[in-house]
Amino acid sequence: MTATIPGAEPAAVPARRRGELVRRFARHRLAVGSLLFLLLLVLVALLAPLLAPYDPNAQDLMARLRAPSGAHWLGTDEFGRDVLSRVMYGARVSMVAAAEALIVAAGIGAPFGMVAGFTGRWVDGLLSRFFDGLMSVPALILALTLVAVLGPGLTNAMFAVGVVFAPRYFRVARAVTLELRKETFIEASEALGATGTHTVLRHIVPNIMSPLVIQASVLLGTAVTAEASLSFLGLGVRPPQASWGSMLSGAYSYAADAPHLVYVPGLMITLTVLAFTLAGDGLRGALGQRTTVVAEGV
Amino acid sequence: MSLLEVRGLGKRYVTKRSFFGRAVDRLVAVDDVSFSVEAGETFAVVGESGAGKSTTGRLVLRLIEPDRGSIVFDGTDVGSLSRRDFRPYRRRMQMVFQDAYGSLDPRVTVHDSVAEPLYIHFRTGRDERLAKAAELLERVGLGRHLFDRYPGELSGGQLQRIAIARALTLNPSLIVCDEPVAALDVSIRAQVLNLMKDLQEQLGLTYLFISHDLSLVEAIADRIAVMYQGRIVEQGTVEEIFGNPRDAYTKQLLAAIPSPVPRALRGSPLP
């Protein structure tokens, strides 16, 4: 009566489970490596003014398109700006832009998804159709429109990306809420006299956090690509501000003479997206989620 | 006056719709069910699975909205109230589910779960509600060292005690018990049933006890309603139903109770 049956405990037990979670995450070597890489990236982004050897916008026309050397570890670009410094400052732009898209997407998608999944009936029908429609809007086109209306700038462009990503959050939140709705403890909450709001905030939200966090890792990776695409097209940061996308955009005309200008930001984008995806994979494994989520292009 | 009086309760589900959304086929889950439950008694609803007994329990608590019929609780027609106006009545009508583990949020400690109803209805402060919950958990026989556990860390019997404690938090008059011991080990069933009986005596509780197990019902119920295919085919006191069943289905059900001594051996000397 007092002893728990061994093996009968479910895999996930909160709070005390945190140690277990870390242990299971640690088994995914690639995920741990990815997480460390991302942490390093955030650190570099935060400390860029301290770490960068040069002013990222300082031009030195006497030292254009230099290959990597002792003075400029990653060489210089077409205006003689230090590539290492620009990559460091570019990391800031990428991180902030990805975070913005995530906050907008999750902020719109998750609450509506929970409402749709919990309320059901016509509310679900209406919201689902609306978000399906939103999903059919190409991110870049909406970003272009928004930039045309609100004026250029990465903030406006990434807001548009966030809006276009919102349906993915909506779908995940709705699906897991629908699944959770069938649980007896949700019915029990109603039987106790709880309002829908109380049930959602107290019992739905904490129980759907893991899939939402996993979705976040995928979305962040995609958002990094989106920022690069937008800046490459000139919709993101404005010169001379550095971002990985704008660096690539400037570099491709000199690809033959100075290939390092393409490799460095290109590699950063690739590694970052890969790291978000792998870390998300590890997290999903550790949380015992079965759904597979794959990063998609814009 | 009865504590609970149910008249002509019915619930149908649409199982098939035409292309244009018109209902083509319906399943009658509960059909014209009427009964009354006196304060302080245990009223059992028995029947095979699919007979509509669980649905009946949920209709009484409006966890499922009835299509027709009235539910009068302590003199008030609670069936016709809006959901908002019905909410205060939930304090007096609680439920214990078959799946005790599933009925508790896996991410909430059992202590907090038992305290939660006080927050829901009265916005009681945390210390006060935990104190009341501790009192109830001790009353149902849960050791203090288990208060901060999560449902996944406890056994079925412990969880059902906790679910019972939670149902008692608001001092209800009526508790709908939906197969409260069906999922438990036989050895633990008796303990939980005895606990329920003791609580009934001490607190003057009324049970609407849903079960498929007639031998269990014989032990705990005062009166019984037998359901078959959504209808009540017979109701009466335990003595009437067991001593003199009139309905053919009731007779069948009684005949199916396993006996400690197989009928073939009854009356003949043991080998």
Side-chain angles (χ1 to χ4, degrees), chain A residues 14 17 26 34 65 72-74 76 93 102 132 147 194 212 260 283:
Chain A
R17 172 192 87 126
S34 301
L65 302 171
H72 297 280
W73 288 5
L74 294 176
T76 61
V93 174
L102 173 67
D132 282 353
V147 165
L212 292 189
H260 66 275
L283 201 59

mmCIF file of all heavy atoms in Angstrom, chain A residues 14 17 26 34 65 72-74 76 93 102 132 147 194 212 260 283:
data_model
loop_
_atom_site.group_PDB
_atom_site.id
_atom_site.type_symbol
_atom_site.label_atom_id
_atom_site.label_comp_id
_atom_site.label_asym_id
_atom_site.label_seq_id
_atom_site.Cartn_x
_atom_site.Cartn_y
_atom_site.Cartn_z
ATOM 1 N N PRO A 14 7.456 15.578 -12.597
ATOM 2 C CA PRO A 14 8.004 16.937 -12.593
ATOM 3 C C PRO A 14 8.904 17.212 -11.380
ATOM 4 O O PRO A 14 8.947 16.448 -10.439
ATOM 5 C CB PRO A 14 6.760 17.813 -12.508
ATOM 6 C CG PRO A 14 5.608 16.913 -12.732
ATOM 7 C CD PRO A 14 6.033 15.543 -12.372
ATOM 8 N N ARG A 17 12.183 15.484 -11.413
ATOM 9 C CA ARG A 17 12.486 14.929 -12.709
ATOM 10 C C ARG A 17 13.548 15.762 -13.415
ATOM 11 O O ARG A 17 14.108 15.357 -14.399
ATOM 12 C CB ARG A 17 11.165 14.965 -13.453
ATOM 13 C CG ARG A 17 11.128 14.638 -14.862
ATOM 14 C CD ARG A 17 9.755 15.055 -15.331
ATOM 15 N NE ARG A 17 9.775 16.444 -15.714
ATOM 16 C CZ ARG A 17 9.367 16.862 -16.907
ATOM 17 N NH1 ARG A 17 8.891 16.017 -17.766
ATOM 18 N NH2 ARG A 17 9.416 18.128 -17.210
ATOM 19 N N ALA A 26 21.960 14.805 -21.536
ATOM 20 C CA ALA A 26 23.421 14.690 -21.623
ATOM 21 C C ALA A 26 23.843 13.491 -22.463
ATOM 22 O O ALA A 26 24.951 13.439 -22.972
ATOM 23 C CB ALA A 26 24.005 14.593 -20.216
ATOM 24 N N SER A 34 25.695 21.150 -29.411
ATOM 25 C CA SER A 34 24.926 22.219 -30.035
ATOM 26 C C SER A 34 24.530 23.281 -29.022
ATOM 27 O O SER A 34 24.616 24.478 -29.280
ATOM 28 C CB SER A 34 23.655 21.644 -30.658
ATOM 29 O OG SER A 34 23.996 20.682 -31.621
ATOM 30 N N LEU A 65 39.478 43.402 -48.846
ATOM 31 C CA LEU A 65 39.463 42.013 -49.306
ATOM 32 C C LEU A 65 40.701 41.210 -48.929
ATOM 33 O O LEU A 65 41.177 40.382 -49.696
ATOM 34 C CB LEU A 65 39.269 41.967 -50.834
ATOM 35 C CG LEU A 65 38.009 42.637 -51.369
ATOM 36 C CD1 LEU A 65 38.033 42.717 -52.886
ATOM 37 C CD2 LEU A 65 36.761 41.919 -50.892
ATOM 38 N N HIS A 72 43.957 40.430 -39.037
ATOM 39 C CA HIS A 72 42.522 40.197 -39.219
ATOM 40 C C HIS A 72 42.311 38.694 -39.326
ATOM 41 O O HIS A 72 42.516 38.111 -40.385
ATOM 42 C CB HIS A 72 42.035 40.894 -40.505
ATOM 43 C CG HIS A 72 42.185 42.376 -40.467
ATOM 44 N ND1 HIS A 72 41.289 43.195 -39.820
ATOM 45 C CD2 HIS A 72 43.143 43.199 -40.980
ATOM 46 C CE1 HIS A 72 41.669 44.448 -39.937
ATOM 47 N NE2 HIS A 72 42.809 44.478 -40.624
ATOM 48 N N TRP A 73 41.909 38.090 -38.189
ATOM 49 C CA TRP A 73 41.822 36.621 -38.138
ATOM 50 C C TRP A 73 40.962 36.020 -39.215
ATOM 51 O O TRP A 73 41.195 34.928 -39.702
ATOM 52 C CB TRP A 73 41.312 36.171 -36.762
ATOM 53 C CG TRP A 73 42.349 36.360 -35.684
ATOM 54 C CD1 TRP A 73 43.568 36.950 -35.830
ATOM 55 C CD2 TRP A 73 42.237 35.975 -34.334
ATOM 56 N NE1 TRP A 73 44.231 36.956 -34.650
ATOM 57 C CE2 TRP A 73 43.440 36.362 -33.692
ATOM 58 C CE3 TRP A 73 41.243 35.334 -33.582
ATOM 59 C CZ2 TRP A 73 43.671 36.138 -32.350
ATOM 60 C CZ3 TRP A 73 41.468 35.108 -32.240
ATOM 61 C CH2 TRP A 73 42.683 35.502 -31.624
ATOM 62 N N LEU A 74 39.874 36.734 -39.560
ATOM 63 C CA LEU A 74 38.993 36.210 -40.606
ATOM 64 C C LEU A 74 39.030 37.102 -41.841
ATOM 65 O O LEU A 74 38.119 37.078 -42.668
ATOM 66 C CB LEU A 74 37.552 36.076 -40.084
ATOM 67 C CG LEU A 74 37.351 35.036 -38.972
ATOM 68 C CD1 LEU A 74 35.915 35.056 -38.466
ATOM 69 C CD2 LEU A 74 37.730 33.637 -39.435
ATOM 70 N N THR A 76 39.336 40.708 -44.201
ATOM 71 C CA THR A 76 38.557 41.946 -44.276
ATOM 72 C C THR A 76 37.640 41.887 -45.497
ATOM 73 O O THR A 76 37.853 41.104 -46.420
ATOM 74 C CB THR A 76 39.457 43.188 -44.425
ATOM 75 O OG1 THR A 76 40.209 43.046 -45.641
ATOM 76 C CG2 THR A 76 40.409 43.324 -43.257
ATOM 77 N N VAL A 93 22.506 40.607 -34.102
ATOM 78 C CA VAL A 93 21.348 40.858 -34.960
ATOM 79 C C VAL A 93 20.551 39.565 -35.145
ATOM 80 O O VAL A 93 19.333 39.535 -34.996
ATOM 81 C CB VAL A 93 21.804 41.424 -36.316
ATOM 82 C CG1 VAL A 93 20.627 41.545 -37.267
ATOM 83 C CG2 VAL A 93 22.484 42.762 -36.121
ATOM 84 N N LEU A 102 10.258 34.518 -32.682
ATOM 85 C CA LEU A 102 9.725 33.490 -31.775
ATOM 86 C C LEU A 102 8.649 34.084 -30.866
ATOM 87 O O LEU A 102 7.583 33.496 -30.680
ATOM 88 C CB LEU A 102 10.856 32.897 -30.930
ATOM 89 C CG LEU A 102 10.404 31.934 -29.838
ATOM 90 C CD1 LEU A 102 9.825 30.674 -30.461
ATOM 91 C CD2 LEU A 102 11.541 31.585 -28.903
ATOM 92 N N ASP A 132 -5.027 28.479 -40.894
ATOM 93 C CA ASP A 132 -4.707 27.766 -42.134
ATOM 94 C C ASP A 132 -4.472 28.770 -43.250
ATOM 95 O O ASP A 132 -3.530 28.641 -44.040
ATOM 96 C CB ASP A 132 -5.858 26.824 -42.530
ATOM 97 C CG ASP A 132 -5.846 25.548 -41.715
ATOM 98 O OD1 ASP A 132 -4.875 25.363 -40.955
ATOM 99 O OD2 ASP A 132 -6.802 24.763 -41.816
ATOM 100 N N VAL A 147 7.157 45.648 -44.726
ATOM 101 C CA VAL A 147 8.249 46.608 -44.815
ATOM 102 C C VAL A 147 7.812 47.803 -45.667
ATOM 103 O O VAL A 147 8.099 48.959 -45.357
ATOM 104 C CB VAL A 147 9.518 45.934 -45.385
ATOM 105 C CG1 VAL A 147 10.530 46.981 -45.828
ATOM 106 C CG2 VAL A 147 10.130 45.019 -44.337
ATOM 107 N N ALA A 194 -14.140 24.471 -11.472
ATOM 108 C CA ALA A 194 -13.197 25.442 -12.030
ATOM 109 C C ALA A 194 -13.750 26.048 -13.317
ATOM 110 O O ALA A 194 -14.445 25.381 -14.071
ATOM 111 C CB ALA A 194 -11.858 24.775 -12.314
ATOM 112 N N LEU A 212 5.893 22.827 -26.764
ATOM 113 C CA LEU A 212 6.048 24.212 -27.210
ATOM 114 C C LEU A 212 7.522 24.627 -27.194
ATOM 115 O O LEU A 212 7.982 25.348 -28.077
ATOM 116 C CB LEU A 212 5.220 25.168 -26.337
ATOM 117 C CG LEU A 212 3.698 25.039 -26.465
ATOM 118 C CD1 LEU A 212 2.999 26.169 -25.724
ATOM 119 C CD2 LEU A 212 3.252 25.019 -27.912
ATOM 120 N N HIS A 260 36.581 33.783 -48.496
ATOM 121 C CA HIS A 260 36.326 33.766 -47.041
ATOM 122 C C HIS A 260 35.139 34.637 -46.676
ATOM 123 O O HIS A 260 34.478 34.420 -45.675
ATOM 124 C CB HIS A 260 37.579 34.208 -46.274
ATOM 125 C CG HIS A 260 37.947 35.646 -46.514
ATOM 126 N ND1 HIS A 260 38.708 36.034 -47.605
ATOM 127 C CD2 HIS A 260 37.655 36.761 -45.824
ATOM 128 C CE1 HIS A 260 38.867 37.352 -47.561
ATOM 129 N NE2 HIS A 260 38.239 37.819 -46.482
ATOM 130 N N LEU A 283 16.456 17.688 -26.869
ATOM 131 C CA LEU A 283 15.447 18.083 -25.883
ATOM 132 C C LEU A 283 14.212 17.206 -26.031
ATOM 133 O O LEU A 283 13.633 16.744 -25.049
ATOM 134 C CB LEU A 283 15.087 19.552 -26.128
ATOM 135 C CG LEU A 283 14.452 20.311 -24.973
ATOM 136 C CD1 LEU A 283 15.375 20.307 -23.767
ATOM 137 C CD2 LEU A 283 14.117 21.727 -25.386
#
